[in-house]
Amino acid sequence: MMGQRTRSESLFYYFRLEDQVPESHLLQLVDKHIDFGFIHERLKDSYSDTGRPSIDPELLLRILLIGYLYGISSERKLVEELRMHLAWRWFTGLGFDEEIPHHSTFSKNRHGRFQESKLFEQLFEQVVAQCLAVGLVRGDKLSVDGTFVEANASKESRIPREQLAEVAQVKRTVREYLAELESQNPVEEPTHNQDKVSTTDPDSTYATKGGTPARMGYYNNYLVDNHSCIVVGVQATGARLSEESRAAQEMIARFAQWQGRKPQSIAADASYGNGEFLQWLMDRDITPYMPTRDAVGRTRSPFYGPERFTSQPESNSYICPAGQQLNYGGRNQGNRTFGYIGTRKKCGPCQQRSQCTSGPFRYLAIHTNEAAR
């Protein structure tokens, strides 16, 4: 006889939520290995000693962590999904008869107490510290890279920077930007200064990466342990190549402070292969594994590269492959190079001129950190 089940709803359910969540479940592993007890200690000064009890900040952080782990960026969507997931309710400690916090609560805390106390950064540091403690992260060989993150702003929203003060009278985002800029940079403009700024997201940068059309956005920079592939450093910057190298220096220095020793080597792509960053690594006895930015150009060039010229420090000059001297001609501040110049008299009749230059004489540009490069 074929059975047929009729759908009915029980008034009471007798089971433990934890029994429904497998031990191999991601949230079981997170709850087992990460102690969230530090949250109350770090935030105790952000709450008053009187009045009604607030929503537990640990609960809010656990819910936000679920959103990150499962790629839910909308807090409204996150609350809706939380109502239906057994594992999520177990991880947050919310029973079926308990009300889920309103979605607006997350924004207020994320932009307020959590941001002011740097709670997200501290949680990240806690995880990295635990990985170091158990030997999962070796920390001797690291890699660094940046990825472009598109902002919620269009290029049409850009206006000349000098008009910002006028627009700030009616736009809250611009007022907040100018207030933050004044507090953090009382004299200097941010390093990714642009002539035009978006009124909807003034911090974003109009840039491109990887041959894609220019967009408003940021760089999310990561420092990764090569052995475990665990991210041990992260920093958001403006979408500028110079910002990537600066962020890399700060992440490396911060991680070295955490583990009590500097890494042995750093690997990166050509966007980090500038003389300043390479010199910074060499000064700290960190071996760089990365091509210089002009490596492709040097390889494909039909002319002699700087490596074919011999430095003469005592006379501040260079000797070319044909034995002729190129004298110092000045410094190019923009390109951070020193120029060394031949003469028409010496280069004109030279039999190797076609291999050296297409002009009447050779101009040799030597980067200020050429030794490191």
Side-chain angles (χ1 to χ4, degrees), residues 334-354:
N335 292 331
R336 299 184 179 92
T337 57
F338 298 113
Y340 295 86
I341 309 171
T343 63
R344 294 175 183 268
K345 183 178 179 180
K346 294 178 180 179
C347 297
C350 180
Q351 295 182 353
Q352 300 184 46
R353 193 182 75 170
S354 61

Side-chain angles (χ1 to χ4, degrees), residues 272-313:
Y272 293 86
N274 59 80
E276 291 75 18
F277 183 49
L278 291 168
Q279 188 65 58
W280 186 88
L281 292 171
M282 301 286 279
D283 290 342
R284 288 156 181 80
D285 296 322
I286 301 174
T287 304
Y289 290 98
M290 62 195 74
T292 56
R293 286 183 183 171
D294 63 348
V296 174
R298 285 191 180 189
T299 303
R300 296 178 179 176
S301 174
F303 304 119
Y304 291 148
E307 69 281 356
R308 298 293 300 272
F309 293 76
T310 304
S311 175
Q312 302 291 310

Side-chain angles (χ1 to χ4, degrees), residues 37 71 81 111-112 115 207 211 285 294 330 339 360:
E81 293 289 325
H111 293 290
Q115 181 172 315
D285 296 322
D294 63 348

Side-chain angles (χ1 to χ4, degrees), residues 14 61 67 70 126 157 160 195 212 286 298 310 318 327 351 371:
Y14 298 96
L61 186 62
Y70 291 94
Q126 290 265 342
S157 66
D195 293 334
T212 60
I286 301 174
R298 285 191 180 189
T310 304
Y318 274 80
N327 295 318
Q351 295 182 353

Side-chain angles (χ1 to χ4, degrees), residues 37-323:
F38 77 97
I39 296 173
H40 300 97
E41 179 66 24
R42 299 292 173 89
L43 291 179
K44 64 181 182 181
D45 295 333
S46 299
Y47 290 87
S48 172
D49 295 329
T50 60
R52 295 174 55 191
S54 71
I55 297 173
D56 188 346
E58 181 179 338
L59 168 64
L60 297 177
L61 186 62
R62 282 176 175 264
I63 295 175
L64 287 173
L65 184 58
I66 289 173
Y68 168 75
L69 292 173
Y70 291 94
I72 302 175
S73 57
S74 166
E75 286 153 358
R76 191 187 299 267
K77 175 75 170 175
L78 180 60
V79 169
E80 293 175 356
E81 293 289 325
L82 181 56
R83 298 184 188 279
M84 302 181 290
H85 283 270
L86 289 176
W88 294 10
R89 278 189 175 269
W90 167 80
F91 181 72
T92 58
L94 287 171
F96 288 112
D97 56 345
E98 292 184 85
E99 187 64 29
I100 298 173
H102 192 268
H103 65 83
S104 63
T105 307
F106 298 98
S107 295
K108 292 177 182 177
N109 281 273
R110 186 160 47 80
H111 293 290
R113 294 186 180 95
F114 289 179
Q115 181 172 315
E116 293 165 0
S117 64
K118 297 185 177 180
L119 188 65
F120 294 118
E121 294 178 32
Q122 292 164 0
L123 174 60
F124 176 79
E125 292 173 8
Q126 290 265 342
V127 175
V128 174
Q130 289 185 239
C131 292
L132 283 166
V134 299
L136 186 60
V137 170
R138 292 182 181 174
D140 55 344
K141 299 176 182 178
L142 307 177
S143 295
V144 64
D145 200 5
T147 182
F148 184 83
V149 179
E150 189 168 1
N152 291 324
S154 67
K155 61 182 181 181
E156 287 76 19
S157 66
R158 296 184 302 154
I159 62 170
R161 180 175 289 273
E162 56 269 18
Q163 296 180 12
L164 272 180
E166 179 182 349
V167 176
Q169 298 177 13
V170 293
K171 288 191 74 72
R172 179 178 59 87
T173 54
V174 179
R175 287 201 303 273
E176 293 173 347
Y177 169 77
L178 289 177
E180 182 180 357
L181 188 65
E182 184 176 352
S183 64
Q184 296 184 2
N185 303 276
V187 178
E188 298 179 356
E189 286 289 307
T191 53
H192 56 282
N193 186 19
Q194 299 182 108
D195 293 334
K196 288 188 174 182
V197 182
S198 168
T199 57
T200 52
D201 190 349
D203 281 320
S204 61
T205 308
Y206 188 57
T208 181
K209 189 174 185 180
T212 60
R215 298 166 290 168
M216 304 299 298
Y218 302 87
Y219 280 164
N220 212 1
N221 303 280
Y222 300 100
L223 186 66
V224 182
D225 177 63
N226 290 353
H227 169 69
S228 61
C229 295
I230 289 177
V231 176
V232 296
V234 62
Q235 187 162 323
T237 65
R240 285 286 182 269
L241 288 178
S242 59
E243 293 282 283
E244 283 190 308
S245 297
R246 181 181 61 82
Q249 294 177 17
E250 294 178 4
M251 290 189 294
I252 294 167
R254 193 160 55 239
F255 179 69
Q257 184 178 9
W258 290 347
Q259 70 168 354
R261 58 183 174 86
K262 58 181 179 290
Q264 296 176 5
S265 65
I266 297 291
D269 60 27
S271 62
Y272 293 86
N274 59 80
E276 291 75 18
F277 183 49
L278 291 168
Q279 188 65 58
W280 186 88
L281 292 171
M282 301 286 279
D283 290 342
R284 288 156 181 80
D285 296 322
I286 301 174
T287 304
Y289 290 98
M290 62 195 74
T292 56
R293 286 183 183 171
D294 63 348
V296 174
R298 285 191 180 189
T299 303
R300 296 178 179 176
S301 174
F303 304 119
Y304 291 148
E307 69 281 356
R308 298 293 300 272
F309 293 76
T310 304
S311 175
Q312 302 291 310
E314 65 280 357
S315 60
N316 191 19
S317 62
Y318 274 80
I319 301 299
C320 75

